[in-house]
Amino acid sequence: MELVCQRVGTCSSCLKRQLNGFLGSIKWQRRLVPACVRTIYSETGKWEKSYGSETRKRVENWWLPRIKDQFCKISETDKSRPKFYVLSMFPYPSGKLHMGHVRVYTISDAVARFQKMRGMQVINPMGWDAFGLPAENAAVEHGLHPASWTQSNIQHMREQFDALGLSFTWEREVTTCLPEYYKWTQYLFLKLFEAGIVYQKEALVNWDPVDQTVLANEQVDDNGCSWRSGAKVEQKYLKQWFIKTTAYAKAMFDALSDLPEWYGIKEMQANWIGDCVGCSLDFLLKVNGKVTEEKLAAYTYTPEAIYGASHLYILPTHRLLHGNSSLKEVFQREFIPGKDSLTSVTAVNLLTNQEIPVVISAKTNFENFLDTKIGIPSTSAEDAAVAKSLGISFTEVTETLPNGLEKVINSGEITGMTRQEALKTITQQAKNKGIGGDLTSDKLRDWLISRQRYWGTPIPVIHCQACGTVPVPYEDLPVVLPSVTTFTGKGASPLETASEWVNCSCPRCKAAARREVDTMDTFVDSAWYYLRYTDPHNADRPFNNDLADYWMPVDLYIGGKEHAVMHLFYARFFSHFCHDLKMTKHREPFHKLLVQGLIKNRTFRLATTGQCLKREEVDLTGTEPVYVKTGEKLQVAWEKMSKSKHNGIDPEELVKEYGIDTLRLYILFAAPPEQDILWDTKTDAMPGVQRWQTRLWTLVTKLIEARTSGTMPTPELLNKKEKAEARKIWEQKNLVISEVTEYFTKDHLFNAAISRLMSLTNVLHQASRPLILHSTEFEDALATLCIMVAPMAPHIASEMWKGLAHMQNKLCTHHHWDVDVLHQSWPKVDPEYLQPSDVVEMSVLINNKACGKVFVPQQAARNFEEVHELVLQSELGVKHLQGRTIKKAFLSPRTALINFLVQE
């Protein structure tokens, strides 16, 4: 293996050097301004009164490199501390971040900073889903090697991450196209192979005529087009590699009930898997009494009745009639279109050894995605009708007792069992023999992972004429991609051209053999990356069990709804499999799931081909958009921002105009995370969050000016009214702490959290000058506000905190003024606020209209007669109710409200 690689030369070692080179020397895009124009407090010790665009730029330039927390470094992992693993789905390195990227990573960044301030040991890792077709397409179109194209894109996107103030645990970075990562993807493939969960078979596959590759079923849209190229997908028979995900269908379906609410995604997962009531069983095919090499897996809804099978039922579109099967000619000759066709081919049940005929159905479809069924007349009237019409004999294998209990009869060793007992026995026997038996649905299909392309993880298999399919020995991993310089984008896999790599020796018999030239679907790489993050530099195994057990499951997984089926299903499958191998303690990989909505922008498509056009190719001057070259009218739709659709917005331009914090706050404030944002209709929110920052800055300015006015702050000088006002500020502060903390931990309604912080800002703006100067409550509320703003707008919060920290004559001593705001503890509600008050503020309504409030004793607040009398005797009651006829009154103790209905 090593000699072969040395002779051919590998692209991976070159890529690793390139990646390590540029990732170790990131250039900051946002340079510090020259010393002569610095005016912010952190640089000069002089507070800038207003927060205009110039001040904002200086603040962000100063703090951007200073707040790059690494969160939990690998060397610092302390398993005795509580942990929080926040993970946002890692990106494909397309070359540029778009606003969809900014949304998901802003959310994860804010959550990570919040959880760290709460005292958690946090990781917020980032990496690159770096294999895939676009890199190879770039090689075809521009002559760039996929490795060079990928490393260049990673470099640029890494710089963009940094320029946006996004702080990740970069020490844990993974890149799926590097051998040190895909070695372990191949390792897990071999484990699946050993378990009999990976297999190869000829199948009717989805063929993308543009990208010249096979697509998984999930990668074909509702219109029968490729999810990436948009081309109309064709059907083609090829020998393919599959992962038997159906083997875990029932376990994965059942495990959903133990997970918390996933914003409707659990239902999508359950619907994708389907009701796991039946199973597939393996059959050996015979023709004219002779055993062939063909095996066939057939589905039945009633495995417990398998001894009553009368025939095997296949569709006219089955691969046996159209592929490269030795039985193709027989089936085609004996098939009569439009009729159920009894053939001379028979099928031997490998569990019961029963031999039954194969029937080609008159139907064009079975239920859902089935193309092969076991006919069992005892449990299906339709199967009974087919058997009778074709003269096929069958045996009744179920009976119903007088008490209604159903039992199995005429079924060998399971005779006499209840149907449920027989079901368990039959499926377990089949699983023990490796011939099926895994409960699954009629709609879930196994995962096709073969790709006839170069830029992917090589499948670690060798084909030998004598030994058959042989797995590469573990000690020879990784099977490294060879250096291929010519990419046409057409025909067979480019790996076919690397003859010195393809031609090798069989690991068993040492005879001449050939490597597998298909590569894996990139969804395999991303199906286990969350585990690698827990131990990313382990050279001996995919990850350390203890570290995985500590960090897993992911506490909050953030990503798009478009991945709610494919990626999430595959990731859950790998996690279940690793659990069964005792590699992990936790079966499910993700605890909470936050499915953020899309940021959509318009796409312009050619109606004839479905191709998406770039903005410069579209003429928008008329009443309808048209293609610049031909004048052809275009199809316009609101769609997810994507490089391939040419509808992305460059975040760098927005940062230049508005600043990092404003962009972050906009993303969090514009809508609840799960809702979509239509970009062109939501930009009005941007000035709103910009104004809020200005108001925050003004509050800090007011306090600093008051404390530097020469008058010493003296809380005792406040009069009764001002003390009551200070109490209101204290109550509002505690209320907002409670609400914002809940928004961050439970519902992740960041827009609501910002709204509450805005309300506290408004309360503080209404404070009188004596209150600002002398009140501990004002100072504490402003400091607390600054801390709560920090996870979402870290740059302005850091500068405001620095101004407050160096302010003279502070009254609050419980804050850690000597450290930056991001290192402060998240504020807690004051214990006194949680204690029941002696009095309750009762809202008074007259004819459903609010007219004021009355204080009543706590012990009387739930008693209608007492509250009624106290209100009547109050100043408000005398003024508004005296002399009027009260028809009825209603008390709501829960909301502290009493409503009087009076005669008008």
Side-chain angles (χ1 to χ4, degrees):
M1 177 40 200
E2 289 182 1
L3 290 175
V4 171
C5 289
Q6 287 170 2
R7 286 198 304 270
V8 176
T10 66
C11 70
S12 54
S13 60
C14 171
L15 173 60
K16 184 179 177 183
R17 282 197 306 274
Q18 291 170 322
L19 288 177
N20 290 341
F22 69 73
L23 292 184
S25 57
I26 295 299
K27 298 176 182 176
W28 292 104
Q29 290 185 322
R30 306 176 63 80
R31 301 294 183 188
L32 296 179
V33 294
C36 59
V37 295
R38 293 177 181 174
T39 59
I40 65 169
Y41 183 87
S42 294
E43 299 167 321
T44 66
K46 179 182 177 182
W47 183 256
E48 181 69 36
K49 292 184 179 182
S50 61
Y51 191 69
S53 60
E54 285 304 312
T55 302
R56 183 259 299 166
K57 290 175 184 176
R58 291 172 190 142
V59 166
E60 293 185 353
N61 282 334
W62 174 265
W63 284 106
L64 184 65
R66 288 170 171 80
I67 61 173
K68 283 182 55 62
D69 289 329
Q70 291 301 309
F71 293 102
C72 176
K73 294 187 178 180
I74 293 171
S75 59
E76 295 174 352
T77 302
D78 179 359
K79 296 176 189 172
S80 66
R81 287 180 56 197
K83 63 88 181 180
F84 196 91
Y85 183 176
V86 56
L87 178 62
S88 43
M89 296 178 183
F90 66 171
Y92 177 78
S94 58
K96 269 200 168 187
L97 293 181
H98 54 65
M99 290 304 299
H101 288 130
V102 176
R103 189 178 196 188
V104 64
Y105 300 129
T106 297
I107 292 171
S108 69
D109 186 79
V111 170
R113 295 187 190 279
F114 164 76
Q115 291 292 350
K116 188 179 181 185
M117 293 171 82
R118 292 183 79 210
M120 308 295 277
Q121 186 168 222
V122 177
I123 56 172
N124 178 28
M126 180 47 62
W128 310 98
D129 192 9
F131 274 136
L133 287 174
E136 204 161 334
N137 292 340
V140 174
E141 295 170 16
H142 308 298
L144 293 171
H145 194 279
S148 301
W149 187 83
T150 300
Q151 65 93 4
S152 175
N153 288 350
I154 290 176
Q155 178 180 9
H156 188 243
M157 291 178 75
R158 178 78 185 265
E159 290 172 349
Q160 284 188 304
F161 275 138
D162 289 335
L164 285 167
L166 296 170
S167 186
F168 294 108
T169 318
W170 284 113
E171 193 182 22
R172 295 176 181 271
E173 181 181 18
V174 299
T175 305
T176 60
C177 66
L178 292 181
E180 53 260 41
Y181 182 88
Y182 68 71
K183 171 182 179 177
W184 303 113
T185 305
Q186 293 171 341
Y187 172 95
L188 292 171
F189 176 95
L190 294 180
K191 289 294 182 184
L192 290 164
F193 188 90
E194 288 175 3
I197 298 177
V198 166
Y199 65 93
Q200 196 176 24
K201 74 169 185 180
E202 188 178 69
L204 189 65
V205 298
N206 304 307
W207 180 257
D208 185 329
V210 173
D211 285 334
Q212 293 283 296
T213 194
V214 173
L215 300 172
N217 297 313
E218 300 87 348
Q219 292 171 321
V220 181
D221 66 21
D222 293 338
N223 299 316
C225 296
S226 166
W227 75 308
R228 188 173 296 280
S229 73
K232 198 73 176 176
V233 171
E234 301 170 357
Q235 300 294 297
K236 188 174 182 178
Y237 279 95
L238 290 174
K239 203 163 188 182
Q240 298 292 295
W241 284 99
F242 290 82
I243 294 178
K244 194 186 293 184
T245 48
T246 51
Y248 279 79
K250 186 70 165 66
M252 291 174 66
F253 184 94
D254 292 346
L256 289 170
S257 62
D258 298 327
L259 294 169
E261 177 53 45
W262 274 11
Y263 299 96
I265 302 305
K266 284 206 300 186
E267 290 74 15
M268 292 175 69
Q269 283 276 299
N271 182 62
W272 180 257
I273 296 170
D275 294 327
C276 300
V277 296
C279 73
S280 290
L281 295 170
D282 289 349
F283 290 78
L284 190 65
L285 299 188
K286 296 170 68 174
V287 61
N288 299 324
K290 294 182 180 179
V291 176
T292 70
E293 295 182 356
E294 287 287 353
K295 278 187 180 180
L296 199 57
Y299 187 82
T300 173
Y301 295 98
T302 56
E304 69 276 13
I306 188 61
Y307 281 89
S310 60
H311 59 281
L312 215 61
Y313 216 19
I314 65 173
L315 289 176
T317 54
H318 198 280
R319 66 176 178 85
L320 292 174
L321 280 79
H322 302 280
N324 300 307
S325 168
S326 59
L327 299 175
K328 178 178 177 179
E329 187 177 329
V330 176
F331 280 125
Q332 287 186 341
R333 184 174 64 246
E334 297 180 349
F335 172 51
I336 304 172
K339 292 186 177 181
D340 290 323
S341 306
L342 181 63
T343 71
S344 59
V345 179
T346 57
V348 178
N349 186 324
L350 294 179
L351 183 64
T352 65
N353 291 319
Q354 291 174 295
E355 187 170 345
I356 54 178
V358 176
V359 174
I360 304 172
S361 176
K363 294 182 175 182
T364 55
N365 294 102
F366 291 148
E367 297 86 345
N368 289 309
F369 296 124
L370 297 179
D371 65 359
T372 311
K373 292 200 303 182
I374 304 172
I376 304 179
S378 282
T379 57
S380 167
E382 182 184 344
D383 292 346
V386 171
K388 288 175 182 177
S389 69
L390 295 176
I392 303 171
S393 62
F394 58 87
T395 304
E396 291 291 341
V397 292
T398 63
E399 69 172 357
T400 304
L401 302 181
N403 63 2
L405 184 67
E406 289 187 284
K407 287 208 165 188
V408 175
I409 59 174
N410 302 322
S411 298
E413 61 183 11
I414 64 171
T415 297
M417 292 184 182
T418 65
R419 288 187 64 169
Q420 192 60 35
E421 291 169 343
L423 173 67
K424 290 181 180 178
T425 301
I426 288 295
T427 54
Q428 191 58 53
Q429 286 178 354
K431 285 192 280 189
N432 291 344
K433 291 184 177 182
I435 53 173
D438 296 299
L439 288 178
T440 186
S441 71
D442 58 11
K443 63 196 303 186
L444 185 66
R445 290 179 281 186
D446 286 337
W447 179 12
L448 189 159
I449 64 163
S450 289
R451 295 294 177 269
Q452 287 67 50
R453 298 303 290 254
Y454 167 78
W455 194 237
T457 297
I459 295 176
V461 161
I462 291 171
H463 300 284
C464 173
Q465 285 192 333
C467 304
T469 301
V470 182
V472 171
Y474 287 104
E475 59 269 21
D476 288 344
L477 297 181
V479 177
V480 182
L481 277 174
S483 179
V484 173
T485 56
T486 303
F487 297 90
T488 64
K490 298 179 181 179
S493 166
L495 288 174
E496 292 272 20
T497 64
S499 57
E500 292 188 39
W501 181 84
V502 173
N503 298 312
C504 61
S505 299
C506 172
R508 290 181 185 165
C509 69
K510 308 305 178 188
R514 286 176 58 85
R515 293 190 187 281
E516 174 62 59
V517 294
D518 281 0
T519 53
M520 295 186 209
D521 179 9
T522 56
F523 278 100
V524 181
D525 304 308
S526 60
W528 72 281
Y529 77 115
Y530 52 88
L531 288 164
R532 185 64 175 174
Y533 277 141
T534 67
D535 190 18
H537 304 304
N538 196 323
D540 300 318
R541 45 186 161 164
F543 48 86
N544 177 282
N545 294 42
D546 290 340
L547 286 170
D549 290 346
Y550 171 72
W551 285 113
M552 296 295 292
V554 173
D555 294 281
L556 180 63
Y557 194 35
I558 308 169
K561 195 170 185 176
E562 69 272 25
H563 298 300
V565 172
M566 294 165 61
H567 164 67
L568 203 58
F569 177 77
Y570 300 146
R572 293 183 63 227
F573 165 80
F574 262 85
S575 185
H576 276 245
F577 178 69
C578 288
H579 173 79
D580 285 354
L581 292 184
K582 302 194 183 323
M583 294 173 70
T584 59
K585 177 172 67 177
H586 304 281
R587 186 180 293 276
E588 284 292 331
F590 313 120
H591 178 59
K592 272 192 164 183
L593 183 70
L594 176 55
V595 179
Q596 98 281 355
L598 306 174
I599 299 185
K600 294 182 175 180
N601 204 354
R602 288 186 299 173
T603 55
F604 302 92
R605 278 192 170 87
L606 291 171
T608 50
T609 64
Q611 177 189 350
C612 290
L613 300 178
K614 298 176 182 177
R615 287 300 171 100
E616 57 266 28
E617 296 176 306
V618 180
D619 182 356
L620 296 169
T621 57
T623 55
E624 292 184 87
V626 296
Y627 188 22
V628 169
K629 290 184 179 179
T630 64
E632 176 186 349
K633 290 184 180 180
L634 302 175
Q635 295 175 337
V636 183
W638 287 96
E639 296 186 57
K640 170 190 172 184
M641 290 186 185
S642 168
K643 182 182 176 70
S644 61
K645 295 174 184 174
H646 307 299
N647 69 335
I649 293 175
D650 189 350
E652 290 182 31
E653 295 302 315
L654 295 172
V655 168
K656 286 178 185 176
E657 184 175 357
Y658 295 106
I660 300 171
D661 286 336
T662 305
L663 179 57
R664 287 169 62 99
L665 289 171
Y666 163 76
I667 288 291
L668 298 171
F669 184 61
E674 71 275 7
Q675 291 185 11
D676 293 342
I677 297 174
L678 301 183
W679 180 255
D680 282 0
T681 64
K682 283 288 185 180
T683 49
D684 56 318
M686 194 75 83
V689 292
Q690 198 170 29
R691 286 192 299 270
W692 178 47
Q693 292 171 86
T694 302
R695 287 170 62 78
L696 287 169
W697 190 274
T698 301
L699 285 174
V700 176
T701 300
K702 283 183 177 181
L703 184 57
I704 291 174
E705 288 181 341
R707 295 296 171 81
T708 56
S709 64
T711 304
M712 285 295 291
T714 310
E716 293 77 14
L717 295 178
L718 295 174
N719 61 34
K720 185 177 180 181
K721 181 181 178 182
E722 289 163 346
K723 286 179 179 177
E725 189 181 348
R727 175 78 183 187
K728 293 276 189 185
I729 289 175
W730 176 83
E731 290 174 348
Q732 185 71 13
K733 178 207 73 172
N734 280 288
L735 176 62
V736 171
I737 290 173
S738 173
E739 292 177 330
V740 171
T741 302
E742 185 165 325
Y743 287 137
F744 260 95
T745 54
K746 292 186 179 178
D747 303 321
H748 304 104
L749 296 177
F750 307 105
N751 61 314
I754 292 172
S755 180
R756 296 304 293 126
L757 294 174
M758 287 177 170
S759 73
L760 180 55
T761 306
N762 292 338
V763 168
L764 294 179
H765 263 285
Q766 293 166 9
S768 61
R769 179 170 173 75
L771 207 66
I772 297 172
L773 174 59
H774 297 298
S775 167
T776 304
E777 289 83 357
F778 182 93
E779 180 183 311
D780 184 35
L782 181 54
T784 300
L785 176 60
C786 190
I787 292 170
M788 291 192 287
V789 167
M792 296 180 282
H795 307 88
I796 186 174
S798 295
E799 182 64 17
M800 291 192 303
W801 184 264
K802 187 65 73 174
L804 293 174
H806 291 276
M807 177 181 65
Q808 299 174 23
N809 306 316
K810 286 189 290 291
L811 297 173
C812 295
T813 57
H814 61 280
H815 294 296
H816 301 289
W817 295 109
D818 56 332
V819 294
D820 290 338
V821 69
L822 289 169
H823 297 285
Q824 300 298 313
S825 295
W826 185 259
K828 292 183 174 64
V829 174
D830 294 321
E832 182 188 344
Y833 180 78
L834 298 172
Q835 296 173 356
S837 175
D838 293 335
V839 294
V840 173
E841 194 175 40
M842 187 69 62
S843 296
V844 179
L845 278 69
I846 297 176
N847 291 338
N848 301 312
K849 293 182 180 180
C851 66
K853 296 184 179 182
V854 172
F855 288 100
V856 300
Q858 173 73 37
Q859 62 270 25
R862 306 186 70 83
N863 186 294
F864 171 75
E865 287 78 12
E866 291 190 46
V867 172
H868 187 277
E869 189 60 30
L870 287 167
V871 172
L872 290 179
Q873 293 174 5
S874 69
E875 184 180 336
L876 179 146
V878 171
K879 179 179 178 182
H880 294 285
L881 294 169
Q882 197 173 61
R884 302 179 73 178
T885 303
I886 299 173
K887 296 191 293 184
K888 208 163 189 178
F890 302 92
L891 173 69
S892 173
R894 186 178 63 84
T895 57
L897 178 149
I898 187 167
N899 187 11
F900 291 90
L901 300 182
V902 302
Q903 189 85 38
E904 291 291 355

